[in-house]
Amino acid sequence: MNFEGTYVAMVTPFTKDEEIDEEGFRSNINFLIDNGVNGLLAAGTTGESATLSHDEHKKVIEILIDEVDGRVETLAGAGSNSTKEAIDLVKFSEDAGADAALVITPYYNKPQQHGLIDHYQVISDASDIPIIAYNVPSRTGVNLDVDTIVELAKIDNVDAIKEASGSIDKISEIYKALSLEGLEEDFNILSGEDGLTLPIMALGGTGVISASANVDPRRMVLMVDSMLNEDYQRAQELHYEMINLIKALFVESNPVPAKTAMRIMGLPSGPLRQPLADMKDENVEILKKALKDSNLI
């Protein structure tokens, strides 16, 4: 499967009682589709997957697939630090009708590189759904090496990587290594860091799985589309229009600022689940200024 364009790592809105706000989630889905996104991700890090029960995790995936109804691509967060549990989530996502599964590297237990290859191979063997590997070492404690990523690209169904290591040099190394193996057309590199999306795409990336697009989907879509259409000047203009907002949306742990911004904008978001806490007052002011400067409030 080819992954190209703007995908949104959606927040999970909660009611005041911290139950899933299904009506609000459906409303956010339609808001994002109306703003031209190519796909939506449920139950990722931005969706507070770490504090969703297994039943809730599966419920938000089902709601996403039902509400989207084929209008854009649906991605299901389906990773775990247990290979057996990841297989269960991937198979559930496949049976539910998701277009692809986002599978984060196992966290905390820090598997070896050959263990990571085996992890994705076993998941692929157990399902037919396209898989996007997710590399975010700041959260997981493990970093996929370039050679490991090339090996993942050779696995059936592993069709892309969401790369959030923060290294532009690594993007160059990944694309070069894929090219040497003739894999660059069959394996997509997606930005996992909103502020680096433009340079990642300039080096061969094909899009982004974005948290900030919950708040400003229109501009992110325009920037990514400009890059895909080789209108680099317009893409650069949009990058600089968004950069202060993107920084503000990561001034505290994601998705705290994103949910706060959505609440300020009147979009369904609801409370955060502990141990995440409300933003500090001084950071809320930074966020409000960025939203005002972006003409979002």
Side-chain angles (χ1 to χ4, degrees), residues 141-157:
V142 64
N143 193 1
L144 287 171
D145 291 345
V146 172
D147 290 345
T148 301
I149 293 168
V150 172
E151 291 305 307
L152 296 186
K154 297 176 183 177
I155 298 174
D156 289 344
N157 305 338

Side-chain angles (χ1 to χ4, degrees), residues 23 35 83 129 143 154 159 173 197 218 237 266 275 279:
E23 181 180 351
N35 276 278
T83 302
I129 191 172
N143 193 1
K154 297 176 183 177
D159 293 340
E173 292 168 4
T197 298
R218 183 184 64 84
E237 292 169 355
M279 290 180 73

Side-chain angles (χ1 to χ4, degrees), residues 17-179:
D17 298 320
E18 292 193 20
E19 300 296 324
I20 292 171
D21 178 4
E22 180 171 343
E23 181 180 351
F25 190 44
R26 290 179 184 272
S27 175
N28 287 342
I29 289 167
N30 288 303
F31 166 72
L32 294 170
I33 292 174
D34 289 345
N35 276 278
V37 304
N38 300 94
L40 298 170
L41 166 70
T45 305
T46 306
E48 296 177 80
S49 57
T51 51
L52 295 177
S53 70
H54 286 178
D55 287 343
E56 288 174 327
H57 191 121
K58 293 175 178 179
K59 180 178 179 180
V60 294
I61 291 170
E62 289 176 327
I63 295 169
L64 175 71
I65 294 165
D66 178 68
E67 188 63 32
V68 167
D69 194 26
R71 290 177 289 168
V72 297
E73 294 170 19
T74 52
L75 312 182
S80 172
N81 58 349
S82 161
T83 302
K84 288 184 177 180
E85 187 173 286
I87 289 171
D88 175 71
L89 286 170
V90 169
K91 291 175 74 172
F92 170 83
S93 301
E94 180 179 20
D95 292 343
D99 292 305
L102 181 72
V103 179
I104 196 168
T105 55
Y107 36 87
Y108 187 76
N109 42 18
K110 297 180 73 172
Q112 317 95 305
Q113 295 295 309
H114 63 275
L116 290 164
I117 294 169
D118 290 345
H119 174 75
Y120 285 98
Q121 182 67 67
V122 170
I123 293 170
S124 174
D125 291 343
S127 64
D128 294 319
I129 191 172
I131 293 166
I132 303 170
Y134 181 15
N135 187 44
V136 56
S138 64
R139 286 184 180 266
T140 64
V142 64
N143 193 1
L144 287 171
D145 291 345
V146 172
D147 290 345
T148 301
I149 293 168
V150 172
E151 291 305 307
L152 296 186
K154 297 176 183 177
I155 298 174
D156 289 344
N157 305 338
V158 182
D159 293 340
I161 184 167
K162 178 183 179 183
E163 177 57 35
S165 65
S167 171
I168 292 299
D169 284 345
K170 187 177 181 185
I171 300 298
S172 296
E173 292 168 4
I174 294 169
Y175 192 82
K176 181 178 179 180
L178 291 170
S179 299

Side-chain angles (χ1 to χ4, degrees), residues 227-286:
M227 286 299 293
L228 291 172
N229 294 325
E230 301 182 4
D231 187 351
Y232 303 124
Q233 181 175 346
R234 181 60 178 143
Q236 185 183 64
E237 292 169 355
L238 289 158
H239 167 84
Y240 284 115
E241 283 182 23
M242 290 189 294
I243 195 63
N244 286 341
L245 176 61
I246 290 171
K247 288 182 178 180
L249 287 168
F250 290 92
V251 71
E252 292 187 20
S253 295
N254 179 50
V256 176
K259 292 192 85 170
T260 305
M262 291 171 70
R263 189 158 56 245
I264 293 168
M265 294 168 64
L267 295 171
S269 60
L272 296 144
R273 281 189 173 173
Q274 288 184 300
L276 294 179
D278 290 340
M279 290 180 73
K280 294 180 178 179
D281 290 343
E282 58 266 33
N283 289 333
V284 173
E285 292 308 310
I286 292 171

